[in-house]
Amino acid sequence: MEDHRAVWGPWHVRAEAQRLAREHDVPLTVLSDAVEQVIDLSLNAHSIQLRAADDGAGTALYSSTRILDAEQSLIDRADDFDAPRLPTPLVESAIDSSPVALNEGQQTLVRELATSGQRLQVALAPAGTGKTTAVTALANAWTAAGGNVLGLAPSAAAAQQLGNHLPGACDTLSKYRWTLDHLDRPRPAWWEQVDRRTLVIGDEAAMANTPLLADVIGNLTSRGATVRMLGDDQQLAAIGAGGIVRDLAERHQAPRLDQAVRFQNPEEAAAVAKIRDGNPVGLRFHLANGRVHEGAGTLAYTEMIRAWASDRAAGKDSIMLASTRDDVALLNQLAQRQLMGERYRGRLMQFDDGTQIGAGDRIITRRNDRGLALSRSDWVKNGDRWMVHEVRRDGSLIVTSERNGRRTTLPANYAAEHVQLGYATTIHTAQGLTADTSHTLLTGGESRQQLYTAITRGRGQNHLHCATPAGDALDPAQRATTELLVEIAQRDERPTSARSVLMTVAVNRETRPIPSPPPTAPRQPSSLAR
């Protein structure tokens, strides 16, 4: 459970126990007893109860020692104020010399992150607010003071994007953790450079699970590094235990960016800000400006593909998004049919689900493979998009990267296991991407975080295509599109940390919570030169 969430209830354990039982072909005659035994052991022997069922909420909640220790470790690092503080003249010089002029909010963010002295500091940067421009100025100030910069991110794609701007190496959190576990193996060049002169900039921090963050940041700070994590607690979170980034932000009143700079229309920026906070009033902009479309059944899919194809034909970089893999697969197949028709594409690659890939198709790779090098510092990454030139007889694919134009060959075994059509992708995969326009399929089960992430991908326009139940449009049981959108905007699925649950329980019992020591007073400023 702790690999997937920070807090769980009996129903989570039951669902996982039943899944594992099916996976291991447990006989039906003993299935029920086996599941109950697993639930009992999981909750009573290996979990820590955070909230009893009789605490007023009606459901018991649990966590584990590992999760609680990881959360406390990060709190402790954030409560330390013994990190270097950059001299004001260096910070101002970096701000003034930024190739892209920084707005007032970006300038304030750079100053706070450069001079707080906090060993671990979180900053909140909603989508499209120019965080990359701000942290680039921060990194330049740090290097001007004689330090070095390391960028870390949850995904290889995010690390690559960060590396395009920072004056230093960038890699994944998982690579750092792997290196820590394999110190007897060859290490990346950047590993040896981590010391008290190092500034670590962590991007998309809310997408990293808590134990991973604790392990990596614990090692970094033990080696003297200063850490700055940027993220957005209202975008999609970690696939794993999460919620601690919001706690850290609230505990130390994290600096944040508020002025959206991505959107061409300032009214859209204001509307998106409302949706981010769960205010459905922000939807009025999309409804009033022709950004919301509805269709019964599969009509929504086909209309969405036509709109996306029209954008592409007009020379726009456009992306299609959906919340589930099944919907993405259907959109991919429909889009392929729309674009390719019956045109001959040479040899085709066949997949078990009936999908075919041929020359001219757009595909996406779904696994990092550092062995498939594109250059000395680049490789095939999860989320990369490619254009197929040829399907070879042995099943390998000759492709060109849409990211950098480099051509490579994807081996047959990789292509068979880790390639899919790339006309559409999941909202989760698209986090961090920017395009000219976006088209998102909504079926009603999405969360506010998915909606917010989807409508912040496009600089120019972001369209929502709502699939309503097939049948009579006048059916009184059918929900109106507006109602569907309001429900999604108000469905908050941000993860909750174990620490937050403990504090809430303590407050509800009118006791004074003591989850961790209070922040220490800032120490005397230090510099990189000391």
Side-chain angles (χ1 to χ4, degrees):
M1 297 308 302
E2 64 189 6
D3 286 338
H4 295 88
R5 58 184 70 246
V7 178
W8 52 85
W11 61 95
H12 294 118
V13 178
R14 179 176 297 279
E16 183 64 12
Q18 291 172 339
R19 185 189 68 81
L20 289 171
R22 291 192 300 270
E23 185 177 298
H24 291 83
D25 296 322
V26 175
L28 290 176
T29 54
V30 298
L31 177 61
S32 180
D33 287 342
V35 167
E36 294 304 322
Q37 289 182 46
V38 168
I39 294 172
D40 180 66
L41 284 171
S42 297
L43 296 180
N44 297 320
H46 299 290
S47 297
I48 295 175
Q49 189 176 75
L50 306 177
R51 185 181 75 192
D54 58 359
D55 277 346
T59 55
L61 292 178
Y62 300 81
S63 189
S64 70
T65 300
R66 180 189 176 204
I67 297 297
L68 289 166
D69 287 349
E71 292 179 354
Q72 189 60 55
S73 171
L74 291 167
I75 292 292
D76 291 342
R77 297 301 188 279
D79 286 350
D80 276 342
F81 285 82
D82 60 349
R85 294 175 170 85
L86 296 187
T88 298
L90 280 179
V91 177
E92 296 305 319
S93 176
I95 290 174
D96 292 340
S97 60
S98 172
V100 179
L102 274 63
N103 60 39
E104 184 176 342
Q106 291 170 314
Q107 293 181 33
T108 299
L109 183 79
V110 173
R111 294 185 184 107
E112 291 195 27
L113 296 182
T115 63
S116 70
Q118 203 171 343
R119 181 59 63 182
L120 164 63
Q121 188 172 18
V122 168
L124 297 180
T129 53
K131 67 175 177 181
T132 302
T133 301
V135 297
T136 300
L138 171 66
N140 290 337
W142 194 270
T143 56
N148 60 83
V149 175
L150 171 64
L152 294 174
S155 69
Q160 178 76 40
Q161 188 172 9
L162 192 62
N164 292 336
H165 301 276
L166 295 188
C170 291
D171 216 311
T172 64
L173 289 161
S174 295
K175 180 62 175 180
Y176 193 102
R177 185 69 177 84
W178 185 92
T179 306
L180 182 60
D181 288 340
H182 300 83
L183 294 177
D184 57 331
R185 304 280 291 275
R187 308 167 194 173
W190 50 257
W191 176 271
E192 308 299 340
Q193 299 174 3
V194 175
D195 57 24
R196 67 175 309 280
R197 302 166 70 84
T198 302
L199 172 68
V200 178
I201 296 177
D203 197 14
E204 303 288 0
M207 293 190 73
N209 73 72
T210 299
L212 176 61
L213 279 178
D215 289 344
V216 171
I217 291 174
N219 182 263
L220 285 167
T221 54
S222 72
R223 299 167 69 185
T226 298
V227 182
R228 298 292 179 260
M229 297 198 307
L230 289 94
D232 183 359
D233 64 344
Q234 286 287 7
Q235 288 195 72
L236 297 174
I239 301 178
I244 192 62
V245 169
R246 181 172 43 170
D247 290 2
L248 293 171
E250 292 175 351
R251 183 176 179 82
H252 289 282
Q253 296 182 326
R256 60 172 293 161
L257 297 175
D258 289 307
Q259 182 179 341
V261 297
R262 172 180 299 169
F263 303 107
Q264 297 173 357
N265 188 334
E267 292 183 13
E268 183 170 10
V272 167
K274 290 183 173 65
I275 294 171
R276 180 184 184 275
D277 294 332
N279 184 350
V281 171
L283 294 166
R284 292 177 181 172
F285 170 86
H286 297 80
L287 290 164
N289 287 275
R291 307 288 177 82
V292 177
H293 318 270
E294 66 176 347
T298 58
L299 181 61
Y301 296 70
T302 55
E303 290 298 327
M304 173 170 155
I305 289 168
R306 289 194 186 101
W308 166 80
S310 176
D311 281 352
R312 284 176 58 89
K316 298 176 182 177
D317 176 21
S318 186
I319 56 176
M320 283 195 298
L321 309 174
S323 59
T324 70
R325 291 183 179 180
D326 287 344
D327 280 331
V328 166
L330 178 56
L331 287 169
N332 273 324
Q333 292 176 11
L334 292 172
Q336 183 188 52
R337 192 179 308 160
Q338 169 84 11
L339 295 181
M340 305 300 294
E342 300 300 323
R343 192 175 72 194
Y344 177 70
R345 292 174 288 153
R347 188 179 294 109
L348 296 175
M349 186 174 184
Q350 304 281 347
F351 290 85
D352 291 341
D353 63 358
T355 301
Q356 297 179 330
I357 289 178
D361 272 323
R362 186 188 199 192
I363 62 170
I364 184 171
T365 46
R366 304 302 300 154
R367 183 182 180 184
N368 297 327
D369 193 326
R370 294 172 188 260
L372 300 178
L374 299 178
S375 69
R376 294 182 61 184
S377 59
D378 196 9
W379 62 90
V380 173
K381 296 178 175 65
N382 178 23
D384 277 351
R385 286 169 175 75
W386 313 78
M387 181 63 68
V388 177
H389 290 287
E390 181 185 350
V391 179
R392 287 183 165 177
R393 189 178 300 276
D394 65 356
S396 60
L397 301 177
I398 299 177
V399 297
T400 297
S401 170
E402 291 190 1
R403 175 164 53 83
N404 54 32
R406 292 192 175 99
R407 180 174 290 200
T408 192
T409 298
L410 301 177
N413 58 346
Y414 182 94
E417 296 291 331
H418 310 299
V419 163
Q420 65 185 50
L421 288 171
Y423 301 109
T425 189
T426 62
I427 298 172
H428 198 281
T429 300
Q431 184 155 300
L433 294 179
T434 304
D436 295 327
T437 65
S438 74
H439 294 268
T440 301
L441 179 73
L442 298 177
T443 58
E446 294 80 8
S447 66
R448 177 204 310 169
Q449 287 70 37
Q450 288 175 309
L451 173 64
Y452 169 64
T453 300
I455 61 174
T456 53
R457 298 307 95 202
R459 305 179 191 89
Q461 294 185 2
N462 295 278
H463 293 264
L464 302 172
H465 300 261
C466 302
T468 57
D472 186 356
L474 300 179
D475 182 353
Q478 182 175 309
R479 292 181 300 171
T481 298
T482 302
E483 182 183 348
L484 179 146
L485 290 173
V486 169
E487 288 181 6
I488 293 174
Q490 295 179 334
R491 186 177 295 128
D492 187 356
E493 293 185 356
R494 287 178 297 173
T496 301
S497 68
R499 177 179 176 275
S500 293
V501 174
L502 282 175
M503 293 184 70
T504 300
V505 169
V507 169
N508 289 342
R509 291 177 178 174
E510 298 183 348
T511 61
R512 184 176 181 179
I514 313 178
S516 59
T520 57
R523 302 180 186 179
Q524 292 300 314
S526 60
S527 69
L528 290 175
R530 288 179 56 188

